[in-house]
Amino acid sequence: EAVWDALWNRRCYGTSGARIALEFEVDGAPMGSAIEGNRDEVRIDVAVTGTEAVTFVEVLRGREVMYEHTGNGPSVRFTLTDDAIPEDGTYYYVRVTQADGEMAWSSPVWIE
């Protein structure tokens, strides 16, 4: 039942096959969430545990990469703040690339 609940609420992410662990939140809301209300800025938290060295982690706002974090091992954790939120809303998601070419993608978090 918990698996169906996670899928229904978009609290899931995809990988290219490697068992990469990915956690992603915007203002404390987990991936798949829709956040309502006007915001001057948002806090973005990312944690990745790869099966190989993590080459880089990209945070995207809409279709554009807004931040790229270079990894130096199998685990990466960082927090950043975005204060360039469009008035008509946007979405954020994370894309991970490992040294062996394996990748992971989070579900988005929408700002409405």
Side-chain angles (χ1 to χ4, degrees):
E1 191 171 315
V3 171
W4 289 113
D5 186 51
L7 289 170
W8 180 260
N9 291 300
R10 302 178 301 260
R11 309 264 193 274
C12 49
Y13 60 95
T15 73
S16 57
R19 300 188 76 140
I20 300 167
L22 172 59
E23 296 177 43
F24 166 56
E25 294 182 346
V26 177
D27 277 354
M31 64 180 95
S33 299
I35 303 171
E36 295 183 11
N38 295 331
R39 290 171 167 21
D40 293 328
E41 64 180 28
V42 292
R43 176 186 162 137
I44 300 168
D45 296 299
V46 178
V48 179
T49 302
T51 57
E52 296 286 331
V54 176
T55 307
F56 55 91
V57 179
E58 298 167 301
V59 177
L60 293 92
R61 181 191 326 109
R63 296 181 181 184
E64 296 185 22
V65 175
M66 63 164 277
Y67 178 76
E68 185 174 308
H69 184 89
T70 304
N72 60 359
S75 295
V76 173
R77 180 178 296 271
F78 62 91
T79 299
L80 65 116
T81 303
D82 183 22
D83 60 0
I85 305 163
E87 287 186 25
D88 58 348
T90 192
Y91 59 93
Y92 297 90
Y93 70 100
V94 173
R95 186 167 53 205
V96 177
T97 304
Q98 293 189 150
D100 62 359
E102 296 288 343
M103 297 181 73
W105 300 263
S106 73
S107 290
V109 173
W110 290 268
I111 307 291
E112 300 176 343

